[in-house]
Amino acid sequence: MKRFLLTIGALSAFTLGLTAPATATTTPNAPAAQLMGWPTGCHDEVINNYMTGATCQSTNGGAFQAIAICKDRSSGKENFYFGGWHTWGTSYAYCQGNSYTQSSGINTSPTVP
């Protein structure tokens, strides 16, 4: 939504420039605009044979959760298990039953679910 609004604003400034001189003002010490919502600087990893973890450096108002992609030792079936949603710290996901960690993943959301 913010990108759309910025595009419309740029288009309005361009249109105004065609009909009248446009003036722009800036504040010298104004903070830079930040993208809000989606977590950034995220990392997921296999911690051991039955657990994965996920962290993000900045959540920007959003949240993240770890995913454990596990393989059942008996059937060979692949299952996905999800950790809790977090806004800080580490989210952990655990393989269940007779399964072991095959790989890790991470889910991110612009809002806290």
Side-chain angles (χ1 to χ4, degrees):
M1 185 70 164
K2 286 187 180 185
R3 276 194 179 177
F4 178 74
L5 293 175
L6 289 173
T7 303
I8 294 298
L11 183 58
S12 296
F14 177 75
T15 304
L16 288 175
L18 291 176
T19 58
T23 59
T25 58
T26 59
T27 307
N29 295 325
Q34 277 188 353
L35 177 64
M36 298 299 286
W38 290 98
T40 56
C42 299
H43 171 76
D44 60 277
E45 66 180 325
V46 172
I47 295 175
N48 57 36
N49 214 19
Y50 61 91
M51 179 172 54
T52 67
T55 60
C56 292
Q57 289 179 354
S58 178
T59 58
N60 299 313
F64 61 93
Q65 74 177 159
I67 302 171
I69 301 153
C70 307
K71 191 166 188 173
D72 187 277
R73 295 179 201 283
S74 303
S75 67
K77 183 179 177 187
E78 192 174 76
N79 294 303
F80 291 74
Y81 297 101
F82 300 89
W85 286 98
H86 284 253
T87 57
W88 60 273
T90 304
S91 174
Y92 296 101
Y94 301 90
C95 293
Q96 307 293 309
N98 192 29
S99 61
Y100 63 93
T101 305
Q102 191 169 4
S103 62
S104 64
I106 187 169
N107 241 350
T108 60
S109 173
T111 59
V112 179

